Each structure stands twice: as C-alpha cells, then as structure tokens.
Amino acid sequence: LMDKKWVKLKKQKIMKQIITAVAIFVLSLSCAMADDKPVSFDLLPAQAQTFVNANYPGEKVLYITVDDDLIRPDYKVVLVNGVEIQFNNDGSLEKIESKKAGVPESLVPAQILSYVRNHYPDAFVTEYEIGTRHYEVKLSNRLELTFNKHFQVIELDD
C-alpha cells in the first residue's frame, strides 16, 4: 500500500517537472521571437503613417521597428529629432515621447493639458501614454501623472 502511494507521488512530481520545463521552454521561445525587427515606413499601418505625416511633416525617420509578436505586433518610430512614437498593431497611438521639445499639445487631451497648465504652469508634457483604462503623462519637471478615463488624477509620482 505504501509502495503504491509512493509511486503515485513520484509520478505527480515528475509530471510537475515536465509541465514546468515545457512552460519555461514556451516562455523562452516567445521571448526569443519577440525581438524588434527593422521595417520601412511603408510597412507601418496606414493610421500610423498618417499620424507621423500629419504631426511631424518633413521630419526624417531615424528608424522603425516592429515587435515581432505573433499575436499583436507593436511598432516604434524614432525620428531624427529624438521623438519616439509607439503604435499598436492597428496603427493607433500607444505612446509618444519627446523630452526636448515636448509632446505637441494637439496630441494630449484638452482635460489633461488644462490640468497640467493649472497645476504646473512651468512644466510641459514630455511623454504621453494611452492605456486601456488610463492615461499617463510625464512632465518636464519629472512628475508622472496618471488619469482615469474620466480625466481625473488617480496617481502622482515624482
């Protein structure tokens, strides 16, 4: 009776080890496949191309990469002037960063811009990120603000 119980426990332990090994292998494979690959401007989704052309006309592209994720590839566009723009797989804006000149005010929701102007008049937005349930901005004074979908501040980090 003890031998059967011991054999059953041994089999369970071996199965856990096999499952763990397979999980590690799959994670390693997905990480290895998620490398950024260079792409040309014409391979960006149309919405992303339109965004870059409309907001940075005449600005030269330094490089563009695609996160080679099988499910949802993301795109990163880096301009010669240092601006970094990230797009979702459909070409919609995910994040924009411009430490030198700041993010163009036309790209930041008016409610967020108004809050920044009223509370931090000497600062400007250097990074703007659109999350699924929130917005994040980083300011030139190094403050990070998180807003909910109703544009209420829910977190402040310095």
Side-chain angles (χ1 to χ4, degrees):
L1 186 64
M2 283 299 273
D3 287 338
K4 287 182 182 180
K5 201 174 202 180
W6 183 80
V7 169
K8 184 177 180 181
L9 288 174
K10 190 71 170 169
K11 284 182 181 179
Q12 287 176 345
K13 184 176 179 182
I14 291 170
M15 284 304 294
K16 284 182 185 177
Q17 289 174 338
I18 290 171
I19 291 170
T20 301
V22 169
I24 290 171
F25 174 75
V26 169
L27 285 173
S28 298
L29 185 61
S30 68
C31 288
M33 293 178 69
D35 290 335
D36 292 344
K37 308 268 189 246
V39 294
S40 60
F41 189 79
D42 59 323
L43 292 178
L44 280 175
Q47 185 176 349
Q49 289 181 32
T50 301
F51 179 92
V52 173
N53 288 332
N55 293 289
Y56 294 95
E59 195 63 46
K60 294 190 187 242
V61 174
L62 185 60
Y63 66 88
I64 301 171
T65 59
V66 61
D67 176 0
D68 200 16
D69 184 355
L70 297 176
I71 301 170
R72 287 187 42 169
D74 293 336
Y75 298 86
K76 180 177 183 179
V77 177
V78 178
L79 304 177
V80 171
N81 66 2
V83 173
E84 294 183 16
I85 312 166
Q86 293 180 9
F87 297 99
N88 290 326
N89 61 328
D90 64 357
S92 60
L93 180 66
E94 187 174 82
K95 180 179 179 181
I96 184 166
E97 184 176 332
S98 178
K99 293 187 189 233
K100 293 177 186 174
V103 173
E105 291 184 349
S106 61
L107 301 179
V108 181
Q111 300 92 323
I112 292 175
L113 206 51
S114 175
Y115 183 90
V116 170
R117 284 184 184 147
N118 288 333
H119 292 86
Y120 310 102
D122 296 332
F124 57 90
V125 176
T126 60
E127 190 174 313
Y128 169 58
E129 184 172 356
I130 303 167
T132 54
R133 296 178 189 221
H134 66 279
Y135 303 95
E136 281 185 30
V137 292
K138 289 184 183 176
L139 306 179
S140 56
N141 63 6
R142 299 182 155 215
L143 281 177
E144 296 178 23
L145 307 170
T146 304
F147 295 82
N148 64 17
K149 285 294 183 183
H150 304 289
F151 303 106
Q152 299 164 325
V153 176
I154 56 173
E155 189 177 333
L156 184 125
D157 192 12
D158 56 357

